[in-house]
Coordinates of all heavy atoms in Angstrom, one line a residue:
T1 N -17.9 26.5 4.1 CA -18.3 26.5 5.5 C -17.7 25.3 6.3 O -17.6 25.3 7.5 CB -19.8 26.4 5.6 OG1 -20.3 25.3 4.9 CG2 -20.5 27.7 5.1
V2 N -17.4 24.2 5.6 CA -16.9 23.0 6.3 C -15.9 22.3 5.4 O -16.1 22.2 4.2 CB -18.0 22.1 6.8 CG1 -18.9 21.6 5.6 CG2 -17.5 20.8 7.5
V3 N -14.8 21.9 6.0 CA -13.7 21.1 5.2 C -13.6 19.7 5.8 O -13.6 19.5 7.0 CB -12.4 21.9 5.4 CG1 -11.3 21.0 4.8 CG2 -12.4 23.2 4.7
V4 N -13.6 18.8 4.9 CA -13.4 17.4 5.2 C -12.0 17.0 4.8 O -11.6 17.1 3.7 CB -14.4 16.4 4.5 CG1 -14.3 15.0 5.1 CG2 -15.8 16.9 4.7
T5 N -11.2 16.4 5.8 CA -9.9 16.0 5.5 C -9.6 14.7 6.3 O -10.5 14.2 7.0 CB -8.9 17.1 5.9 OG1 -7.6 16.7 5.5 CG2 -8.9 17.3 7.4
A6 N -8.5 14.1 6.2 CA -8.1 12.8 6.8 C -7.8 13.1 8.3 O -7.3 14.2 8.7 CB -7.0 12.1 6.1
G7 N -8.0 12.1 9.1 CA -7.7 12.2 10.5 C -6.3 12.5 10.9 O -6.0 13.1 11.9
D8 N -5.3 12.1 10.0 CA -3.9 12.3 10.4 C -3.3 13.5 9.6 O -2.1 13.7 9.7 CB -3.1 11.0 10.0 CG -3.2 10.6 8.6 OD1 -4.0 11.2 7.8 OD2 -2.6 9.6 8.2
E9 N -4.1 14.3 8.9 CA -3.6 15.5 8.3 C -3.8 16.7 9.2 O -4.9 16.9 9.7 CB -4.3 15.7 6.9 CG -3.9 14.6 5.9 CD -4.7 14.7 4.6 OE1 -6.0 14.8 4.7 OE2 -4.1 14.6 3.6
E10 N -2.8 17.4 9.4 CA -2.8 18.5 10.4 C -3.4 19.8 9.9 O -3.6 20.7 10.7 CB -1.4 18.7 11.0 CG -0.8 17.5 11.6 CD 0.6 17.7 12.2 OE1 1.1 18.8 12.0 OE2 1.2 16.8 12.8
W11 N -3.7 19.9 8.7 CA -4.2 21.2 8.1 C -5.5 21.6 8.8 O -6.5 20.8 8.8 CB -4.4 21.0 6.6 CG -4.8 22.3 5.9 CD1 -4.2 23.5 6.1 CD2 -5.9 22.5 5.0 NE1 -4.8 24.4 5.3 CE2 -5.8 23.8 4.6 CE3 -6.8 21.6 4.5 CZ2 -6.7 24.3 3.7 CZ3 -7.7 22.1 3.5 CH2 -7.7 23.5 3.2
S12 N -5.6 22.8 9.4 CA -6.8 23.3 10.0 C -7.0 24.7 9.6 O -6.6 25.7 10.3 CB -6.7 23.2 11.5 OG -6.6 21.9 12.0
P13 N -7.7 24.9 8.5 CA -7.9 26.3 8.0 C -8.8 27.1 8.9 O -9.7 26.5 9.6 CB -8.6 26.1 6.6 CG -9.2 24.7 6.7 CD -8.3 23.9 7.6
D14 N -8.6 28.4 9.0 CA -9.4 29.3 9.9 C -10.7 29.6 9.3 O -10.9 29.6 8.1 CB -8.6 30.6 10.2 CG -7.3 30.3 10.9 OD1 -7.3 29.4 11.7 OD2 -6.3 31.1 10.7
G15 N -11.7 29.8 10.1 CA -13.0 30.3 9.7 C -14.0 29.3 9.2 O -15.1 29.7 8.7
V16 N -13.6 28.0 9.3 CA -14.5 27.0 8.8 C -14.5 25.8 9.8 O -13.5 25.7 10.6 CB -14.2 26.5 7.4 CG1 -14.3 27.5 6.4 CG2 -12.8 25.9 7.4
D17 N -15.5 25.0 9.8 CA -15.5 23.8 10.6 C -14.7 22.8 9.9 O -14.7 22.7 8.6 CB -16.9 23.2 10.8 CG -17.8 24.1 11.7 OD1 -17.4 24.2 12.9 OD2 -18.8 24.6 11.2
V18 N -13.9 22.0 10.6 CA -13.0 20.9 10.0 C -13.5 19.6 10.6 O -13.6 19.4 11.8 CB -11.6 21.1 10.4 CG1 -10.7 20.0 9.8 CG2 -11.1 22.5 9.9
V19 N -13.8 18.7 9.7 CA -14.3 17.3 10.0 C -13.2 16.4 9.5 O -12.8 16.4 8.3 CB -15.6 17.0 9.4 CG1 -16.0 15.6 9.7 CG2 -16.7 18.0 9.9
R20 N -12.8 15.5 10.4 CA -11.7 14.5 10.0 C -12.3 13.2 9.8 O -13.0 12.7 10.7 CB -10.6 14.5 11.0 CG -10.0 15.9 11.2 CD -8.7 16.0 12.0 NE -8.3 17.3 12.2 CZ -7.6 18.0 11.3 NH1 -7.2 17.5 10.1 NH2 -7.2 19.3 11.5
A21 N -12.0 12.6 8.7 CA -12.6 11.3 8.3 C -11.6 10.1 8.5 O -10.4 10.3 8.2 CB -13.1 11.3 6.8
D22 N -12.2 9.0 8.9 CA -11.5 7.7 9.0 C -11.5 7.1 7.6 O -12.6 6.9 7.0 CB -12.1 6.9 10.0 CG -11.4 5.6 10.3 OD1 -10.8 5.0 9.3 OD2 -11.4 5.1 11.4
P23 N -10.4 6.6 7.1 CA -10.4 6.0 5.7 C -11.3 4.8 5.6 O -11.8 4.5 4.6 CB -8.9 5.6 5.5 CG -8.2 5.7 6.8 CD -9.0 6.7 7.6
G24 N -11.4 4.0 6.7 CA -12.2 2.8 6.7 C -13.7 3.1 7.0 O -14.5 2.2 6.7
E25 N -14.0 4.3 7.6 CA -15.4 4.6 7.9 C -15.7 6.0 7.6 O -15.8 6.9 8.5 CB -15.6 4.3 9.4 CG -15.8 2.9 9.8 CD -17.1 2.3 9.4 OE1 -18.1 3.1 9.2 OE2 -17.2 1.1 9.2
P26 N -15.9 6.3 6.3 CA -16.1 7.7 5.9 C -17.5 8.3 6.4 O -17.7 9.5 6.5 CB -16.0 7.7 4.4 CG -16.4 6.3 4.0 CD -15.9 5.5 5.1
R27 N -18.5 7.4 6.6 CA -19.9 7.8 6.8 C -20.1 8.7 8.0 O -20.8 9.7 7.9 CB -20.8 6.6 6.8 CG -22.2 7.0 6.3 CD -23.3 6.0 6.8 NE -23.7 6.4 8.1 CZ -24.2 5.5 9.0 NH1 -24.3 4.2 8.6 NH2 -24.5 5.9 10.2
P28 N -19.5 8.3 9.2 CA -19.6 9.2 10.3 C -19.2 10.7 10.1 O -19.8 11.6 10.5 CB -18.8 8.6 11.4 CG -18.8 7.1 11.0 CD -18.7 7.1 9.5
A29 N -18.1 10.8 9.3 CA -17.7 12.2 9.0 C -18.7 12.9 8.1 O -19.0 14.1 8.3 CB -16.3 12.1 8.3

């Protein structure tokens, strides 16, 4: 249902929410 990836990675799979994480601050993601 949700994918977590890095902020500078362009991958955006269809059909799910995508959350982009900051390497120095993962908690907000």
Side-chain angles (χ1 to χ4, degrees):
T1 54
V2 57
V3 171
V4 187
T5 188
D8 58 357
E9 291 175 314
E10 298 181 358
W11 185 49
S12 295
D14 295 330
V16 296
D17 290 298
V18 178
V19 175
R20 303 193 183 276
D22 184 324
E25 283 289 337
R27 211 200 79 206

